[in-house]
Amino acid sequence: MRAAARRARSVKGWRHHDFTVTYVATQSEKKTFAVMKRPVTILSGFLGSGKTTLLNHVLKADHGLRIAVMINDFGDVNIDKDLVVGQTGDVVELSGGCLCCTIRGDLLEAARNLLTSDRKFDYVIVETSGLAEPFAVAHTFLVPELEESFRLDAVVTVVDSANIEPCLRSNATPAEQIRCADLLVMNKLDLVTPDDVDRIRALLAKINGDARVLPSINGDVPAELLLDIDAHKLATVAAHHHHGHVDHGEVLSVSFAAEIELDYDRFDRFLQGLPDGVFRAKGTLAVQGISRRVIFHRVGGRNVLDQGAVWGEQPRSCRAVFLGQDFDRNRLLAQFRDCAA
């Protein structure tokens, strides 16, 4: 009851705030070269902000676009690819690692392959790692080779309203992601109060006063407010092309992948007992007695379990990634393996 009441109170509160939701350009207002170039949206946001949930909403929307999705994840196991469902276009999986640090070459190659392949697509969405800086990603699409075929439409940064303040205090990356954005999506508004909204809006404006802001619960934003909005400012990338790189080498990444089944009760105890240093975890699991994939997320101290697609004839397996600081990775992996049925 308390959670439901808080949700209702929060939704009522943010609806009275002055969010910008009516800026979408009409077709007649768009530049003529947009017809010739495929628009590109870069989807950014810190760990656990809700990027993949928002992406799923976009892919399921009735927009008629064939969307090619490039997904990058931090760690050896690409979980985000598994969590994207109902895609209307191709998913191009990039190699592991932070997109801005190590795989700009792969991103360039993936874009080249899209252009030379037989794939039919109208639009590109690049979902970056939660630890990626969008400036370098955006600059990839401004090189002459790609600029002839792609138009950088917008950098969209998803903000976890419930956790953004402690994240900004503990890590430099969220501020960089906010600073780069043309559009900010204030997500998880059902988990904060109207007073929180005022404070967070002021904080975002202090970091990036030029970005438009949209409200969101569970990543549910109309696709027409996100796609082909012609919101990107070329000067933004140029001004930050030589920005100081954010060091996230201190972030621990632990990955697990094996064809095993878990005991539900053991896994639940494992999840509840994760150390405070693990501030992000996610994965798809095979749980004994459950025919569907079990999808789990941990953001801060909040755990979420949900059901995914039926396993069917596919081998039942577990894939998970744990991110954080100051925890014993070997002990964590041993505890996870102990959840096996």
Side-chain angles (χ1 to χ4, degrees):
M1 289 294 292
R2 183 188 302 175
R6 186 178 183 187
R7 175 186 173 94
R9 186 167 61 248
S10 299
V11 171
K12 181 179 179 181
W14 64 252
R15 282 180 175 166
H16 293 287
H17 289 265
D18 185 23
F19 286 98
T20 305
V21 295
T22 58
Y23 69 90
V24 182
T26 63
Q27 197 63 36
S28 61
E29 292 172 328
K30 297 188 185 298
K31 296 179 176 63
T32 56
F33 64 75
V35 177
M36 304 298 297
K37 297 185 178 186
R38 274 96 161 193
V40 177
T41 293
I42 296 171
L43 184 58
S44 175
F46 197 58
L47 300 165
S49 60
K51 298 184 298 298
T52 303
T53 302
L54 183 145
L55 177 60
N56 276 326
H57 280 298
V58 171
L59 295 179
K60 294 175 183 177
D62 186 19
H63 43 60
L65 295 172
R66 295 167 297 183
I67 299 176
V69 182
M70 299 181 185
I71 297 174
N72 168 244
D73 205 2
F74 190 86
D76 299 328
V77 179
N78 193 323
I79 298 296
D80 280 350
K81 178 177 178 290
D82 294 340
L83 300 181
V84 173
V85 296
Q87 56 263 43
T88 57
D90 299 314
V91 174
V92 179
E93 183 178 4
L94 305 179
S95 60
C98 173
L99 191 61
C100 65
C101 300
T102 61
I103 69 168
R104 272 198 61 198
D106 282 1
L107 177 59
L108 185 62
E109 187 62 28
R112 287 172 179 156
N113 290 340
L114 276 177
L115 292 174
T116 58
S117 71
D118 294 329
R119 296 183 177 101
K120 305 298 182 183
F121 67 100
D122 310 303
Y123 208 100
V124 175
I125 297 178
V126 181
E127 182 190 357
T128 69
S129 154
L131 294 171
E133 301 166 54
F135 291 117
V137 183
H139 196 267
T140 300
F141 286 94
L142 298 180
V143 300
E145 177 184 355
L146 296 186
E147 199 174 18
E148 295 178 357
S149 302
F150 295 103
R151 171 176 60 84
L152 194 53
D153 187 67
V155 175
V156 178
T157 295
V158 183
V159 175
D160 178 354
S161 300
N163 292 291
I164 187 59
E165 291 171 298
C167 288
L168 287 169
R169 289 192 294 268
S170 63
N171 197 295
T173 302
E176 286 296 306
Q177 295 169 339
I178 293 168
R179 192 173 293 116
C180 182
D182 304 299
L183 175 66
L184 295 170
V185 176
M186 275 187 68
N187 197 27
K188 304 186 184 181
L189 288 177
D190 53 327
L191 302 179
V192 297
T193 68
D195 288 341
D196 294 332
V197 173
D198 287 332
R199 188 178 64 257
I200 295 168
R201 284 291 303 273
L203 181 61
L204 296 179
K206 185 177 180 180
I207 299 172
N208 183 351
D210 296 325
R212 298 170 174 128
V213 182
L214 293 178
S216 170
I217 291 177
N218 199 31
D220 193 359
V221 179
E224 61 268 22
L225 298 180
L226 300 171
L227 302 181
D228 206 16
I229 57 177
D230 200 16
H232 189 69
K233 304 172 184 63
L234 294 179
T236 302
V237 171
H240 292 87
H241 178 42
H242 300 292
H243 74 293
H245 181 75
V246 175
D247 180 14
H248 30 252
E250 75 280 3
V251 176
L252 294 176
S253 172
V254 178
S255 303
F256 181 92
E259 291 187 5
I260 63 171
E261 290 189 342
L262 302 186
D263 176 85
Y264 181 86
D265 291 333
R266 290 180 192 167
F267 176 73
D268 184 58
R269 288 193 295 270
F270 164 80
L271 198 59
Q272 299 299 329
L274 281 173
D276 293 338
V278 178
F279 51 74
R280 181 66 170 122
K282 55 186 173 180
T284 57
L285 311 173
V287 177
Q288 189 177 54
I290 299 179
S291 62
R292 293 179 176 273
R293 293 168 173 81
V294 173
I295 300 171
F296 81 94
H297 293 273
R298 177 185 177 88
V299 182
R302 185 167 170 260
N303 300 317
V304 178
L305 292 173
D306 201 358
Q307 287 195 3
V310 175
W311 283 104
E313 298 300 321
Q314 294 183 339
R316 294 168 66 88
S317 62
C318 295
R319 292 160 56 88
V321 173
F322 303 88
L323 302 170
Q325 297 171 321
D326 301 324
F327 65 89
D328 187 330
R329 65 173 68 203
N330 292 328
R331 177 176 174 151
L332 184 74
L333 284 174
Q335 291 175 332
F336 188 83
R337 292 190 189 97
D338 287 343
C339 297

